[in-house]
Amino acid sequence: MKIDVFTLFPEAFEWFEGQRHVRNAFGSGLGFACVNYRDTTPLTGGQVDDTPFGGGAGMVLRVDVVAAALEARYRVDPQHLPHRRRVLALTPGGRVLDDAFVDELAAEPELTVLCGRYEGFDERIIEHFASDAVSIGRYVLAGGELAAMVVCDAVIRKLPGALGHAESAWEESFSAALEGAPEYPHYTRPAEYRGWRVPEVLLSGHHANIKEWRLEQSRARANQGPQP
Ligand SMILES: C[S@@+](CC[C@H](N)C(=O)[O-])C[C@H]1O[C@@H](n2cnc3c(N)ncnc32)[C@H](O)[C@@H]1O
C-alpha cells in the first residue's frame, strides 16, 4: 500500500513513522509520504488559507491550494483523482471510522489523506477532490494530523507484516473472530496481586476451555455496552 498524507505540518509525522509496526510495514512494502500544501501554493508568501465568505471566525483552507498540491503530486486534474484512488478528507462531520471502515481502507492499494487546519476545508475540496469525508469521532481537534495518524495507524496494523504476530490483529476487539464484540480481558503475572486472582481457567492450560471462556467474555462485554 502507498499512503500520501497532505498536511501543513509534515514534521508531526516523524514520531509516527518511527513506530515499530509502521517500520515493519515499510519492510513489507508500505510507502508513506507527507506532502506539504505550502510547498506548491500558487499564492504569495506561502499563503494557504483565507477568510470565510459570509463572515465568521477563523481561516479556511483554500481549494486552489489543495488542488495545486494534488496536481503536483499526481499529475492529473484532482477532480479525477477520486476515480483513481481513495482520497480521504478528514473532517469531524464525516463518516466515523470503525473497524469495518478500516478493513475497507486496508484493502486499498493507495490512500490519500487530506489534513485540514483552522476552520477546515473549503467545502469544494471535500465535494470534488475527495472520495470520503472521514471523522475519527464526534469531537473537534485543532487539526487533521492526529486524525490522520489514527486512520493510518489503524489501517497499517492490518497490513501483512506490520505486527509481530499476525494473530494479534486477527482476534481483536470488533474483529470477525470475536463476532464483532470487544476483546476479552487479558492477564499476566503475578497470578495473584493484593488478593486479586486471575481467573482459574487461564491457568488451567486447557486451550479449548480458555477459548470458550474468552468468547463468552467478549459476548458478555458486547451485551453490557461500553465499559466504564
Ligand atoms: C478545528 S478543525 C475544524 C472544525 C470545523 N470547523 C468543524 O466545526 O467541523 C480543523 C481540522 O482538524 C481536523 N479534525 C478535527 N477534528 C476531527 C475529527 N474528529 N475527525 C477528523 N478530523 C478532524 C479536520 O481536518 C479539520 O479540518
Side-chain angles (χ1 to χ4, degrees):
M1 171 181 277
K2 306 281 175 239
I3 303 178
D4 290 339
V5 178
F6 286 70
T7 170
L8 288 168
F9 301 98
E11 66 281 1
F13 293 85
E14 283 168 18
W15 170 84
F16 178 71
E17 288 176 75
Q19 295 307 293
R20 181 180 294 242
H21 65 294
V22 180
R23 284 190 283 119
N24 287 346
F26 286 146
S28 299
L30 172 72
F32 186 88
C34 290
V35 179
N36 193 334
Y37 297 117
R38 225 180 278 283
D39 289 346
T40 48
T41 178
L43 309 173
T44 53
Q47 186 188 346
V48 291
D49 55 358
D50 224 318
T51 51
F53 283 130
M59 300 293 274
V60 176
L61 201 54
R62 284 179 54 140
V63 63
D64 48 355
V65 168
V66 174
L70 290 169
E71 202 159 349
R73 179 76 179 167
Y74 302 116
R75 305 278 164 212
V76 292
D77 181 333
Q79 231 184 306
H80 300 138
L81 257 190
H83 308 295
R84 296 175 175 222
R85 59 192 288 140
R86 208 80 181 251
V87 182
L88 315 180
L90 295 168
T91 178
R95 175 179 168 191
V96 177
L97 194 72
D98 62 11
D99 195 58
F101 194 6
V102 172
D103 277 337
E104 206 179 300
L105 298 177
E108 295 286 334
E110 295 174 324
L111 290 181
T112 296
V113 183
L114 305 179
C115 300
R117 268 274 153 179
Y118 320 120
E119 273 312 302
F121 297 109
D122 181 306
E123 191 62 24
R124 291 166 291 186
I125 296 167
I126 301 174
E127 252 174 59
H128 300 291
F129 303 156
S131 55
D132 306 76
V134 181
S135 171
I136 62 159
R138 295 295 189 234
Y139 45 83
V140 180
L141 302 167
E145 287 68 29
L146 288 173
M149 284 184 238
V150 168
V151 172
C152 292
D153 191 287
V155 167
I156 289 170
R157 63 195 304 286
K158 300 253 186 190
L159 300 180
L163 300 184
H165 299 281
E167 317 88 73
S168 309
W170 161 251
E171 197 176 272
E172 268 193 323
S173 289
F174 321 119
S175 62
L178 294 181
E179 303 167 348
E183 200 186 43
Y184 44 80
H186 292 288
Y187 299 89
T188 186
R189 291 179 188 83
E192 186 164 339
Y193 179 72
R194 296 190 182 190
W196 305 324
R197 195 151 168 77
V198 167
E200 283 307 322
V201 63
L202 297 177
L203 308 174
S204 68
H206 194 299
H207 295 299
N209 287 357
I210 292 171
K211 195 172 158 69
E212 195 184 318
W213 178 85
R214 286 179 165 167
L215 199 52
E216 275 167 13
Q217 294 289 313
S218 277
R219 286 176 182 149
R221 284 184 164 182
N223 293 333
Q224 269 164 20
Q227 287 178 280

